[in-house]
Every structure is written in C-alpha cells, then in structure tokens.
Amino acid sequence: MNKLSRVLSHVAILSTPLVAGFPQDSAVPPEEEIFELSPFTINSTEDTGYRAKHSLSGSRLRVSLDDVSVPIDIITPEILSDFNINQQEDLFDIVSNMESRDDNFLSGVYESGASYSIRGFIGVKSLRNFMGGNMTFDSYNSTRFIASKGPNAILFGSGPGGGSVSFFTKRYNVGSKDRTNLKFSYDSEGSLRSEISMNKGLIDNKLGVSLALFDDQKEFSIKPSGEDRNGYYLSATYHPFENTKITASWEERSEHVYRPGDDYTTMIDNHSAWESFGSPGISGALTGNTGNLIYPDGSTARTDVRNFGLARQSTTKLTLIDGEIVDLRNTGSTGLPTAANAPAGQRSIPDALWPKDVAQTGLNGGAEVRSTAWDLNIEQKVTDNFYLMFVVGKTDTTRDQFQHRIRSLHRDANLNMPDGSANPHHGEYYIELNNINYFDRANEADTVTATAAYELDLEERNKYLGKHNFAVMLQEYTELNTNIRQSVLLTETPNAAYELTDVNDATGRLNIRHYLGSDPALFSKDNTMPDYRYIREEGFELDGYRWETQDGVGGSGWRSVETTSKMFVVQSNFFRSRLITNLGYRMEDVDQFVVNFANNPAMQFRQTALEHYTKAESEAPGFQPVFTNNVRPTSMPTEPWESVSGLSKNLGVIFKVTPKIAILANKAQNISGNPGRNGVFGVPLPYEDGKSRDIGLRFNLFEDRMRIEYNRYETGVNNQATQATGGGIRAPYTDAEDIWLMMIQAGSGERNVFLNSENWDTRDFVSKGHELTLSGDPMKGLNVRAAISYNEQEASNLGGTFMPWWREHAAEMEAFVLANPDAINLEDTDTTPDPASVRWQSAQNLLRLQEDLEGAPIINRPLWTAKILAKYRFQNGVMKGNETGMNVAWRGKMKSQYFRLADGSSDLDDPFYTLATTKVNAFWNYSRKLNIADRDVNWKVQLNVNNLFNSRNTIERNFFNTVNGDKDSEVISTSLMRSDPRLVSVTNTFSF
C-alpha cells in the first residue's frame, strides 16, 4: 500500500496541469446526500460552511445548537478540508482555548499522559462515537470534531474536569447516492498522504456500506523524525425493517510514529557560559572539581572549573564516540553559569546560540502502535416519538514506545581524551542521547450502552408548555491499561570496575554522543543524531561491552476500571421556545484497582502485570491474588478493589430575550475515574472531581447566518492526581523522605510510614476566563470563524496530603537534623548522597516556594489567544470555481517564571513574561466538474501554506531569576521553537 500511495500521489500531482484539458463545466458542489433524522445521529451535510447547526453534545440527543447551553466548539468537515487538517494536533490553531501541552516550569503539577489541554487542564478524554478508548481522531473517516468545555456530565461516564474531545465516524445513509472520493496530498518536506473513501448501496433502501482507507507518510524538518500511518475503516448500515436500523463498523490502524517532540521543543543552551569565560580548554582529567585550564592565548590556570561555566562528569559515563566506548568520568562538560561563576555580575547570558538549521532534538522518542475498534449500533423506532438504541463497542491499542530526549547543545571543552590522547573534537558542538527507555503499553476499553428517548409535545394542551425530549441511559464501561517499562542495561563488561547493577544505576546506561562540528554556519538539518531504535531488538555490543533491554521498574504496572452509569436527560422548550432548559444527571459507580510495582531490580514481573482479574473474580469465594517473582505492588490497597459512587450533573438554561438574542447559563459537575492512589506516606487520595459555571450571551445575526456567543467561565478541578517525584515544586517529597529514612537508620522514626507510598499527591486548580466565538456566512461567498479566549489558572492545595504529615513531623525532623547534620542516607541510590542538613534546607526552600505559589496564577499559559478563519468563494467571472482563505492564530504573552527576592521568596507582583506569537496558515483551491470517460467527476486542487511567514515562535525564558534584580538583565532565548517551519502542500481530490 505504501508504494502504491506514493505512485498515485506523484501521478496526481504531476497530472494537475493536464486535467484542465478535459471538457469543463462551472464548479458545482456535490449533490447533498439524503440523511435520516434520528434523535441519536448527526449528519455532516446539515452543516453550513464553517458553522454547525446541530449537536449531540449538549443533551446526548440531536438538538439545534441554539438550544444547547453547554459550551462546545464544533469543527466542521469544510474546515478540516480547507486547512488540510488530518490529526488532532493540527487543530491547536483552530479550536478555542485548546492548546498544545506546556512542558516547562511547574508542568509537574499537572497529570501526565496528554499532549494538549482545554481551558488549561491536561488530562483531556478523547471519545470516539461517545465511547472511550485510545483510538485517536483522523479526518479520513471522521465527519466532525467537537471540543466540550468543562465537565459535561452528559457525554461520558467519569469525565475529566477540563473538558473532552469527541469525533464521529462516517456512516452510510440508506437512500443516499453512491459516491467515491480519492484524495492525494504532497508537501515540501516530502510527506505523502493518500485517502480513498466510498459509499455504496448494496440493497436498495435496505443495506449500504461506507469504506475508507488512508496511508500517511509524514516527514518533519527535524530528522530522522517521521510518521508512517495507515488504516482502513468499514461501516455497514442495514434496515431489516422500516423502523429498525443496524449500523456496524470496524477500524484498524498501524502507526510508526517518531515525532520531534511536541509542536514545540524546549532548547537548553549548555555552552554560552563557558564561552563567556574565554572558552578555556581542560588539560587532562579533573581531580574533584579542580583542573588545568588552558586559554586560546596560551595562558594557564589550575582552579575549580565550576567557576568557568564547566562541570565535572562525576560518575562513570560510558559513551559511544566515533565507534568506540569511552568512559568520560572526571572529564569536563560545559553547562549553565551559577551564582558563583557569573561574569561581571551578570547572571544571564545574551544571544544563546542554537543554530536555526540544526535539528534540535534528533529522534525524540516514538512508538509503534496497533489499534482496532469496532462498534454495533441498533436503533428502533417504536412510535413516532419513542426511540430505543443499543450500542456495544471495543477499542484495543498496543504501543511499543521508545523514549529519550535530546534538547541540550554542548561544546567539548576537553583537550584530551580520557586515555591522554589528543581530543579531535575539542571545541566542537555536540548533542547526546542518554537514559534510553522503552515501554510496552496496552489499552483495552469496552462499552455497552442502552438508551431510550421519548418526545413529549404539550403545545397542543397549552402553547406555553412546549416540547420536551427525555432520555434515559444505562452504560457499562471497562478499561484496562498495562505498562511495562524496559531500560537499556549493561549486561557484559570487560572491566570489573563497572559493576552490573540495576537499571537505575547511571553507570550502566548507554550514552551516544554525536558531534555537529565547530562552525554553526555549516550546520544542516540533516546533521543529526542517527537512528538507534534497533538497540531494543538486537542490543548493542562493542569492545567487550554489551547492553540489552530488560524489564525496568519505574512506571510499570496496570490499572483496571469498571464504571456503571445511569443517566437521565431532559431538554425542554417553554413559552414558544423562549425558555429552554437542559438537565442531565448521571449516577456513577466506579471500581478501580491500581498496581504500580516496587523499585526492586531483582524482580521480573512482565507476566504478572499482564495477568489481571476482574472485580467479579476478585470477590469470588476462595480467590487469592498471587504476585509472583518477588513482585511487591506499592499501591496495594487494603481491599483489592476501591469503589466510589457519585452524582454528575449538568444544568443549563437558555432565555431568549428576543428571537435573535439569548442569555445562557450552564453549571456542570463530574467525578473522574482516578481513585485509589495512595498519596505520599500512605494517605489515601479522594476521587478527582470537576465543576464549572458558565454564563454568557448568544446573538444570531444576518438572518441567522451568523452566530456570536460569549461565555464567562470558572472551571475547577479538585484532587487532580499528580506525581510527586522529580524536581522543582515536587522535590520536597523526596527530601523529606530521605530525612525520614536517615532517622530510621539512626534508630528513630517509624518505618511503616512509607508503606504503600508511591509518591503521588493532588492539587486543586481553578481556571477563570472568557471565550468568544463567532461563525457563519455574513455575505454570499464569505465564511468566517473566530475564537478568542482569555484564560488564567490558579493552583492551590500545593502541599496536598504531604503538608499535614510535614507539620506533624517537622519538629521531629528538625531536631534530628540539628543533632545529626552529617547523617548519610545509606538507602539513597545517589552516588554522593547529601547530608541531612542539605536535605532539610532544600525541603525548606521548596516548601516556601509552594507557599508563595499557593493560589498564584500558573505560568506558561497564554493569557489571550485569538484563532481566526476566513474563506471567500468567488461567485462569477473568470475566478468562478476558486476559493481562498486564511487562518491566523495569535497567542498572547505568557508568564514564564516569577522573579525571586533576596530572601528566596517569589515576587508574585513581578513575573517574567514571554513574547506573543503569531502563526498564519493560508490556502487556495480551484474546483471544476470534469467529464472523464462519460462520467462526471468533481475535481479540486488545493494549495496550503502553513506557517506562511516562517515564524520561529521563540519564547524567551530567564533561567537565572534566583535573586532580585534579574528582571533588568538580558535573557536566554532558547525555548520553544516550532518543529516544522513553513510547509507547503498540494492536494488533489476527485469525487464521483
């Protein structure tokens, strides 16, 4: 299929100027398909340009958007086509208040696992035909994309607080015309995409199928990143009886995805500090942090290298350099300046160098993914106003993931190799791969839903009582996630000094260094890190050393969730549709079992992790869960399964002041299926819940051709689980735990404090802001859409379950530190563990930072965003058949960091702001009706230019803001550069 798609794409592109030679008629849009009115389904032919008319997201029933109080953003098929949008990440420039995930300071307070956020909340659930799972959006078989803001309780059980995204797949409409579409696209990076879709009736007014296939080979400017994705989708619709409809679908995809990070890649300059001190070379090995420095002018010094923008490779570091394994221990490495070594009192280094044409990250991890999804939908019309629906579906996704990150640019300051020979790479730039991890991930999700809908019309009795739609639903949802982590482990060594230990030992890691040369002007985008994916299958062997992938420890385990939902929805119209209410209630029963495995290097638990059991099995008489091979789950609760029940609700009101002006109000609440995690020191964590309040106005203008809607919102998420390991704001957990372990070793402190601790905690978040959207066709030939948002988020409860424990034991720990300042944590896996006094001071400083940031606005969120689309279709004359349009995505300034005062506290009144960014995407297309072989063919050729002005979108960031006064110094501008510069694509579409 890959070779075929490439051939067809080239033929389609090259034949573009020739097709015009066929007899042509004026451009004629395809005939509208016949669609069936059903309370449960939406057909894309109901949309008008960039404006959608109906939705299921407001009440789970098909209603006009004018009657929906839930804030939702609908992307129509015409938008997807005009701007050549294929995947979910292509929508960040379109959807209101939806952004790529931030990956900078304070990102640790967010739950991991999502690549985007809505209203500033990460952990967004993706739904396919209102069913959960891991099958992501792709335009080849989708009819529309919907972003629901806030905790819409009507959509899906255990929904997230920030919002959900949904997409709906194509279905054959019985009675519609047969149609075939061919689409081929080619871009300036060498990407090729081919799509074939077909609607075909098999038995008149009884049976038809919808078939779609795609092959997508995407190239990026950062090499060797790329994607190779393909899949097929088959759906059949059958009317065995006049009032019965059965729809079934099957989808299968294969993806080989090796992306260059997110839309943006964080760069770190690790060489400018060294250059600012005159680029001294290090002669010979370092003794501690002392070394011989030789300057380019020949002068020498023996001194502490840390004062000159250098650092010591303090541990064994086995690195592949020029085809040889080299131990770089006691050699020098360039780095960032510290308080002690800043030249001339300047804590910031201007004009940090990251050459424009250098591949910033090399291979930034990736995955090989296999996904399947199927569903069966049965609709039965009992009477003219009573419908039944039964849905069963399943998604199954397996992911083999490769992970590492290269985002630092260094210079080699060493004059000699460790063996004393001259270093041929002295002064050259290099990037380095290290800490390679692999993950085997699997997700299974099953959904069974039964729904009954009834329409009650009371207008015949009283004109003010109106029409009312009722729906009741019973849903059973189960999901299993498994994760097995592997690391590259040193398994054979010719040197007995390199002890073979566990995967967390830095001495066993394989590092791979790649030099870029000494002249940045000679760098090219192809001068990048080679592809080392083969290590997983074959291992790596050289010079008597051998590395192999073995099951790791951190991040491994499984989670099983069983959810039962009972929902009731009523959508009512009163006073001749002047007052509309949307009410939804969902009773949730969620059972969950989470197992994360202990950090034990001796265990082999792959089989154990994959052998799960259901709640029903666990409750059977005599059942005993067995964990073999020395497996100790760190989060094993007292009872195997943990349960919670709660009420999710959605209450909305629309009051139409006039037929064109309406006041909107919506209040929603959801619980979320993240139960069962034990927090730091074994304290149980509650379920996450989300609440949202929206109030706004809606205007319909130009004879209802334009809709303008404004919302003022406040969305909060309580008890959002966040991992409490790592650095930054989460580090006090580690410091406090280390102090307590020192106390245990010294004969004080209770050892059982740390049982069942997996270093998880929670945060509370509140997002407040405004959203303004408008869409429609105010004049003939013109389509517009604008989405403007303001969002500011605050975090509180930063200490979470840790703070009460800290307050209870702080005096005890302080007394221990004063009595044992040099106590060493023997259980610490660090090569050079810090004494108790250092741990105490670090924890104190970071806890003060938490207190400073309690309730403060979260940084790295665009305060304002504006995403504007416009398209004009020429109506007459020589330009008839042409369309042109533009998408402008503007993101306002962000808070990047807060400045620190001399006493170490944060100056919340003086944040450091980044620059605003603007991105422009444009398109032009030309369509004609051709007659080919006595057959009418609708042909369209389209040119898209993304990032028209080749904006780098560099965001400034001050790395050195630990003392007052830095706000006046220059900053390092090394962060967040787009992975793709200007991109030009040509697409041919044939429909017949």
Side-chain angles (χ1 to χ4, degrees):
M1 183 175 179
N2 293 351
K3 292 182 178 179
L4 176 62
S5 67
R6 288 183 178 271
V7 171
L8 291 176
S9 296
H10 283 296
V11 170
I13 298 298
L14 295 175
S15 64
T16 298
L18 302 179
V19 178
F22 284 96
Q24 303 172 355
D25 295 323
S26 297
V28 177
E31 299 88 345
E32 289 191 359
E33 296 179 355
I34 301 172
F35 60 87
E36 302 161 276
L37 295 180
S38 163
F40 305 117
T41 58
I42 296 288
N43 193 285
S44 61
T45 57
E46 300 175 78
D47 299 328
T48 302
Y50 291 176
R51 178 184 176 185
K53 291 186 176 181
H54 296 88
S55 175
L56 301 174
S57 297
S59 64
R60 199 59 185 265
L61 301 172
R62 179 184 178 275
V63 296
S64 168
L65 272 181
D66 290 337
D67 299 340
V68 174
S69 60
V70 175
I72 57 178
D73 201 2
I74 300 178
I75 307 303
T76 65
E78 194 161 326
I79 296 176
L80 300 178
S81 175
D82 286 346
F83 293 95
N84 202 24
I85 293 172
N86 298 316
Q87 297 172 258
Q88 197 154 288
E89 55 265 26
D90 299 331
L91 289 162
F92 296 143
D93 295 329
I94 306 292
V95 180
S96 170
N97 224 341
M98 179 178 175
E99 298 294 326
S100 172
R101 178 184 180 182
D102 302 317
D103 191 23
N104 283 314
F105 185 69
L106 272 191
S107 64
V109 301
Y110 292 95
E111 184 179 10
S112 62
S115 61
Y116 56 94
S117 64
I118 291 180
R119 289 185 172 179
F121 292 99
I122 291 176
V124 179
K125 185 182 289 292
S126 295
L127 305 178
R128 178 185 184 272
N129 297 328
F130 279 138
M131 293 185 292
N134 269 7
M135 184 69 81
T136 58
F137 164 81
D138 192 284
S139 60
Y140 89 104
N141 70 333
S142 300
T143 58
R144 55 168 49 186
F145 179 92
I146 300 177
S148 175
K149 313 296 180 59
N152 185 348
I154 297 170
L155 281 177
F156 188 79
S158 302
S164 302
V165 296
S166 311
F167 65 95
F168 298 89
T169 56
K170 298 175 180 177
R171 303 295 172 95
Y172 179 81
N173 293 312
V174 173
S176 62
K177 293 185 177 181
D178 293 349
R179 186 169 298 280
T180 300
N181 293 283
L182 306 177
K183 182 178 179 180
F184 308 102
S185 186
Y186 176 84
D187 71 28
S188 53
E189 290 293 341
S191 304
L192 292 169
R193 181 178 173 96
S194 306
E195 296 181 24
I196 302 174
S197 62
M198 180 186 303
N199 273 357
K200 177 67 175 176
L202 301 179
I203 303 176
D204 288 345
N205 298 318
K206 285 286 187 180
L207 176 65
V209 297
S210 178
L211 173 67
L213 304 93
F214 85 102
D215 182 75
D216 193 354
Q217 298 159 32
K218 188 172 184 178
E219 300 290 337
F220 298 90
S221 62
I222 297 177
K223 311 298 182 183
S225 301
E227 294 183 354
D228 187 355
R229 307 166 59 246
N230 58 73
Y232 70 91
Y233 169 82
L234 177 64
S235 174
T237 301
Y238 179 46
H239 273 269
F241 312 105
E242 181 181 357
N243 295 322
T244 304
K245 182 171 73 172
I246 301 174
T247 304
S249 72
W250 173 270
E251 182 175 4
E252 188 168 333
R253 295 190 207 169
S254 175
E255 305 177 48
H256 300 267
V257 181
Y258 298 93
R259 297 182 58 84
D262 215 332
D263 268 1
Y264 298 94
T265 300
T266 305
M267 312 305 174
I268 298 177
D269 168 13
N270 274 330
H271 60 86
S272 289
W274 172 71
E275 292 172 355
S276 70
F277 285 100
S279 304
I282 297 179
S283 177
L286 292 170
T287 303
N289 290 306
T290 302
N292 297 317
L293 302 186
I294 301 179
Y295 286 86
D297 63 1
S299 59
T300 63
R302 181 169 179 80
T303 183
D304 190 329
V305 299
R306 292 176 296 180
N307 294 327
F308 296 87
L310 294 165
R312 168 176 168 252
Q313 301 284 0
S314 58
T315 60
T316 296
K317 188 175 183 182
L318 300 176
T319 306
L320 175 62
I321 300 178
D322 297 338
E324 295 183 0
I325 298 297
V326 179
D327 183 3
L328 294 177
R329 181 171 184 172
N330 292 331
T331 60
S333 174
T334 54
L336 297 171
T338 64
N341 68 20
Q346 294 295 315
R347 300 287 303 284
S348 301
I349 307 300
D351 302 322
L353 174 66
W354 192 285
K356 293 183 179 181
D357 294 328
V358 175
Q360 289 81 16
T361 61
L363 189 60
N364 195 41
E368 298 184 6
V369 187
R370 294 163 299 280
S371 302
T372 59
W374 63 266
D375 60 75
L376 174 67
N377 187 314
I378 302 174
E379 288 187 41
Q380 177 65 49
K381 180 179 179 181
V382 181
T383 67
D384 287 340
N385 57 354
F386 183 41
Y387 289 80
L388 299 175
M389 181 176 69
F390 175 79
V391 179
V392 58
K394 179 182 179 68
T395 66
D396 192 343
T397 301
T398 59
R399 179 187 300 266
D400 298 328
Q401 188 170 330
F402 169 88
Q403 180 174 307
H404 74 79
R405 179 167 292 182
I406 307 171
R407 59 182 185 183
S408 299
L409 186 64
H410 294 263
R411 294 283 292 277
D412 194 336
N414 298 285
L415 292 167
N416 307 101
M417 298 296 286
D419 62 2
S421 62
N423 179 12
H425 297 294
H426 171 66
E428 291 188 17
Y429 294 88
Y430 69 84
I431 54 179
E432 191 165 286
L433 177 153
N434 52 55
N435 198 19
I436 309 170
N437 289 305
Y438 301 95
F439 297 87
D440 289 338
R441 303 182 188 272
N443 173 274
E444 298 177 17
D446 297 85
T447 305
V448 179
T449 306
T451 308
Y454 181 75
E455 183 182 87
L456 177 63
D457 188 352
L458 298 178
E459 286 186 328
E460 295 181 357
R461 299 183 181 181
N462 187 306
K463 61 183 179 181
Y464 297 112
L465 295 181
K467 295 181 179 180
H468 309 268
N469 293 316
F470 298 87
V472 293
M473 184 190 78
L474 175 64
Q475 183 180 77
E476 294 283 348
Y477 175 74
T478 61
E479 183 176 10
L480 172 69
N481 289 281
T482 61
N483 178 32
I484 306 298
R485 178 178 176 178
Q486 290 185 311
S487 296
V488 178
L489 179 65
L490 184 65
T491 56
E492 294 181 22
T493 171
N495 190 332
Y498 302 146
E499 184 178 352
L500 303 179
T501 56
D502 64 81
V503 293
N504 291 323
D505 190 341
T507 62
R509 293 175 182 167
L510 173 63
N511 304 285
I512 303 173
R513 180 171 295 187
H514 187 62
Y515 286 94
L516 302 172
S518 58
D519 185 358
L522 301 179
F523 291 178
S524 69
K525 66 182 181 181
D526 295 322
N527 189 11
T528 63
M529 178 69 68
D531 186 345
Y532 288 96
R533 281 174 286 173
Y534 67 87
I535 294 175
R536 179 169 194 175
E537 289 76 25
E538 302 176 12
F540 184 83
E541 187 171 4
L542 185 66
D543 298 337
Y545 300 92
R546 179 167 179 80
W547 284 266
E548 296 178 280
T549 54
Q550 295 190 12
D551 286 349
V553 286
S556 296
W558 56 267
R559 183 182 70 148
S560 188
V561 182
E562 298 178 8
T563 304
T564 301
S565 298
K566 306 176 185 71
M567 187 181 75
F568 172 75
V569 178
V570 56
Q571 195 266 348
S572 300
N573 293 267
F574 300 97
F575 306 109
R576 295 183 174 179
S577 297
R578 283 297 184 93
L579 177 64
I580 301 170
T581 60
N582 293 279
L583 307 177
Y585 290 89
R586 179 191 292 269
M587 289 296 300
E588 304 271 27
D589 295 309
V590 184
D591 299 296
Q592 178 166 294
F593 189 22
V594 181
V595 174
N596 289 319
F597 293 100
N599 201 22
N600 185 337
M603 69 185 181
Q604 298 294 321
F605 52 77
R606 172 179 296 269
Q607 190 62 32
T608 304
L610 295 179
E611 289 180 354
H612 60 282
Y613 56 92
T614 66
K615 185 171 186 291
E617 290 172 336
S618 69
E619 294 176 343
F623 177 82
Q624 293 292 330
V626 178
F627 295 90
T628 60
N629 300 323
N630 198 26
V631 175
R632 178 177 67 83
T634 61
S635 61
M636 177 73 79
T638 305
E639 297 295 331
W641 284 80
E642 295 179 335
S643 304
V644 69
S645 297
L647 176 67
S648 300
K649 55 190 176 184
N650 199 96
L651 312 175
V653 177
I654 302 173
F655 176 65
K656 295 185 179 180
V657 181
T658 73
K660 307 296 183 183
I661 303 174
I663 299 174
L664 315 174
N666 197 79
K667 184 177 181 180
Q669 177 178 349
N670 261 15
I671 65 169
S672 184
N674 290 321
R677 292 194 176 104
N678 287 328
V680 179
F681 314 116
V683 181
L685 298 183
Y687 273 69
E688 172 185 319
D689 68 342
K691 298 179 180 180
S692 187
R693 293 193 299 269
D694 290 76
I695 187 167
L697 295 171
R698 180 182 293 154
F699 303 89
N700 283 294
L701 307 175
F702 304 108
E703 298 180 351
D704 291 339
R705 295 198 309 272
M706 282 287 298
R707 178 189 292 111
I708 302 176
E709 184 171 323
Y710 162 77
N711 274 298
R712 170 69 174 93
Y713 67 86
E714 180 175 329
T715 299
V717 174
N718 297 322
N719 304 317
Q720 183 170 17
T722 177
Q723 194 168 8
T725 57
I729 199 169
R730 300 170 291 174
Y733 299 92
T734 303
D735 293 319
E737 185 174 14
D738 286 338
I739 295 172
W740 199 260
L741 288 173
M742 295 177 196
M743 295 170 62
I744 293 173
Q745 293 166 184
S748 61
E750 297 179 10
R751 185 174 295 274
N752 61 5
V753 168
F754 294 102
L755 295 179
N756 293 338
S757 170
E758 53 172 301
N759 282 358
W760 284 84
D761 210 4
T762 62
R763 305 287 184 263
D764 298 337
F765 296 93
V766 176
S767 281
K768 299 178 181 180
H770 311 266
E771 294 170 336
L772 176 67
T773 58
L774 62 91
S775 60
D777 50 338
M779 57 180 288
K780 191 173 183 179
L782 179 65
N783 269 277
V784 296
R785 170 188 159 84
I788 302 171
S789 66
Y790 172 84
N791 177 45
E792 191 160 6
Q793 190 174 80
E794 298 176 356
S796 59
N797 191 28
L798 294 180
T801 60
F802 170 74
M803 281 300 192
W805 183 91
W806 173 270
R807 294 187 182 100
E808 181 181 352
H809 296 88
E812 191 177 352
M813 286 191 292
E814 183 179 18
F816 175 81
V817 170
L818 292 175
N820 304 276
D822 296 323
I824 298 297
N825 175 12
L826 300 179
E827 296 186 31
D828 195 326
T829 58
D830 292 342
T831 305
T832 55
D834 293 324
S837 58
V838 173
R839 298 286 188 184
W840 174 257
Q841 188 60 50
S842 175
Q844 292 281 62
N845 291 340
L846 288 164
L847 286 169
R848 176 157 49 181
L849 173 61
Q850 288 190 343
E851 292 174 354
D852 292 341
L853 298 179
E854 181 80 19
I858 292 295
I859 60 177
N860 275 337
R861 289 283 178 263
L863 298 179
W864 286 95
T865 62
K867 304 170 184 181
I868 302 171
L869 289 73
K871 175 177 79 168
Y872 184 72
R873 179 184 295 113
F874 293 90
Q875 303 296 308
N876 300 300
V878 296
M879 294 298 292
K880 187 175 183 181
N882 288 269
E883 296 179 336
T884 186
M886 186 173 292
N887 165 216
V888 179
W890 173 81
R891 291 168 174 86
K893 63 181 182 180
M894 305 181 192
K895 292 187 178 93
S896 179
Q897 287 183 345
Y898 290 109
F899 288 110
R900 306 303 305 280
L901 299 175
D903 64 357
S905 62
S906 300
D907 188 354
L908 300 179
D909 296 324
D910 190 14
F912 179 80
Y913 285 97
T914 68
L915 303 177
T917 61
T918 303
K919 181 185 174 187
V920 177
N921 305 316
F923 78 90
W924 167 87
N925 67 52
Y926 172 72
S927 57
R928 304 293 292 181
K929 178 176 285 189
L930 310 177
N931 186 277
I932 302 177
D934 294 328
R935 187 166 192 167
D936 288 338
V937 177
N938 292 306
W939 166 65
K940 181 173 75 173
V941 59
Q942 180 166 300
L943 174 70
N944 286 85
V945 184
N946 287 352
N947 199 7
L948 178 64
F949 299 111
N950 205 21
S951 170
R952 283 174 59 86
N953 285 359
T954 299
I955 294 181
E956 293 184 342
R957 182 176 177 192
N958 190 328
F959 283 90
F960 312 108
N961 59 351
T962 56
V963 296
N964 192 29
D966 279 350
K967 59 181 178 292
D968 299 320
S969 62
E970 297 185 72
V971 299
I972 290 184
S973 304
T974 57
S975 294
L976 303 184
M977 177 180 169
R978 290 202 63 82
S979 58
D980 270 326
R982 182 187 297 119
L983 188 71
V984 181
S985 62
V986 177
T987 305
N988 277 278
T989 304
F990 303 89
S991 179
F992 51 89

